[in-house]
Amino acid sequence: SSCSIIGRRRLPSSSLLIQCRCISSSHHHIVSSGRQSAILNRRPPHHHHYDSASTQIRSILLFGDNGQQFDKQRPWHNPNFMKDDPPDQVEAWLISLLKSASNDIHTEYSPNNPPVSFDGTKFMLDSRIYLRVLEAYARAAKHYSGAPQKAEYWINNSIRHYENARVLFESKYRTKFGSELMQSNQTQQSAAAAAIVHGLQPDVEFYNAVIECWANSKEQISIPRSATWLSKLEADCSTNNPLLLQPNA
């Protein structure tokens, strides 16, 4: 039967391929077969409604390769950050960073209690810290036993981190995150907090990395697990609001 190629492994063409877009980015990833394709777009952390907050949070910029801008205080925004390091070393860096951020806001880190603070001058974490680990495991999946399981563990932690931030925002400002009411009643403080929550949202690149990790692995369950994450991506596109993933039809 015909197949759709994802990474270097093959998935049945019957696997659900979805078409997603994001509101303010033209960057995209393409997964294609002979008869169908899914365009999985990503967008960077959304700051359309939070320009003043973003200016405060991202006050010092360092120019990276190819004219891109990377935060001086967030070197992990550079796609080449720790790119040549083994995944366990990148993971150790992430855990150290999470523990340090927890110490800065006087909490104890655990996967169920990731650090969140709406003080933008101190809290510098965003979802890219998790993406660097997912990408590291995807690159090493052919030769690293257990890489896909590690990738699933960290994408779930990133989702939990975002959800904790969203719940904290809604409790603190007594408004649903992403709602029109939030937009119309925002203050400089709430806008800065919203920018932090947006920055912690996983996007389609996270799902791509997990799918690639399974596709590159030699495990027998790689095909059904890849299909599971494609289905989860579709479900998140249709049920979560606000999103970094939005269906365009």
Side-chain angles (χ1 to χ4, degrees):
S1 60
S2 61
C3 292
S4 301
I5 305 300
I6 298 182
R8 298 187 179 181
R9 297 292 296 271
R10 301 169 70 84
L11 295 182
S13 58
S14 59
S15 296
L16 184 57
L17 295 178
I18 61 174
Q19 188 171 22
C20 296
R21 69 172 176 83
C22 56
I23 294 175
S24 59
S25 173
S26 60
H27 300 295
H28 59 271
H29 299 278
I30 299 178
V31 180
S32 63
S33 68
R35 295 185 179 180
Q36 58 185 331
S37 67
I39 301 177
L40 305 182
N41 293 347
R42 71 171 176 85
R43 72 181 182 188
H46 179 54
H47 300 296
H48 178 72
H49 298 289
Y50 314 105
D51 292 338
S52 61
S54 301
T55 300
Q56 293 179 359
I57 295 172
R58 300 169 176 266
S59 57
I60 303 175
L61 292 175
L62 180 68
F63 283 89
D65 296 335
N66 301 321
Q68 297 181 15
Q69 290 180 328
F70 304 113
D71 276 330
K72 187 175 182 179
Q73 294 177 292
R74 295 184 178 98
W76 56 86
H77 281 196
N78 187 331
N80 293 320
F81 178 75
M82 298 191 76
K83 192 171 184 178
D84 297 326
D85 293 308
D88 52 351
Q89 187 171 333
V90 184
E91 180 180 286
W93 161 81
L94 171 59
I95 294 173
S96 176
L97 185 64
L98 290 167
K99 289 182 176 180
S100 177
S102 294
N103 289 336
D104 287 344
I105 61 175
H106 310 294
T107 63
E108 184 176 353
Y109 168 72
S110 75
N112 292 320
N113 185 37
V116 178
S117 171
F118 293 145
D119 183 351
T121 62
K122 294 182 180 179
F123 189 78
M124 304 299 294
L125 301 186
D126 56 35
S127 64
R128 301 291 100 178
I129 60 175
Y130 293 99
L131 182 60
R132 298 289 86 92
V133 174
L134 297 178
E135 292 172 336
Y137 278 114
R139 287 191 298 268
K142 287 183 178 180
H143 313 290
Y144 192 102
S145 176
Q149 290 82 1
K150 282 282 193 176
E152 289 192 354
Y153 171 80
W154 283 112
I155 192 174
N156 286 326
N157 279 4
S158 71
I159 294 170
R160 185 182 301 113
H161 202 158
Y162 162 69
E163 288 296 332
N164 285 10
R166 182 186 60 79
V167 169
L168 179 62
F169 178 92
E170 293 179 351
S171 174
K172 181 179 179 67
Y173 295 102
R174 299 186 180 278
T175 182
K176 184 175 176 61
F177 181 70
S179 66
E180 292 184 4
L181 180 62
M182 184 195 84
Q183 303 293 349
S184 60
N185 293 338
Q186 70 177 4
T187 63
Q188 186 175 12
Q189 185 182 30
S190 66
I196 289 173
V197 179
H198 270 290
L200 286 168
Q201 283 183 288
D203 63 22
V204 72
E205 288 183 279
F206 287 64
Y207 294 85
N208 283 349
V210 174
I211 292 170
E212 180 184 357
C213 195
W214 277 112
N216 288 339
S217 75
K218 299 178 181 179
E219 300 193 29
Q220 293 183 349
I221 62 172
S222 61
I223 291 177
R225 291 307 299 165
S226 295
T228 295
W229 282 98
L230 279 173
S231 298
K232 181 170 175 56
L233 174 58
E234 185 206 30
D236 285 349
C237 279
S238 61
T239 60
N240 287 350
N241 184 36
L243 284 170
L244 293 186
L245 305 171
Q246 293 285 352
N248 67 355

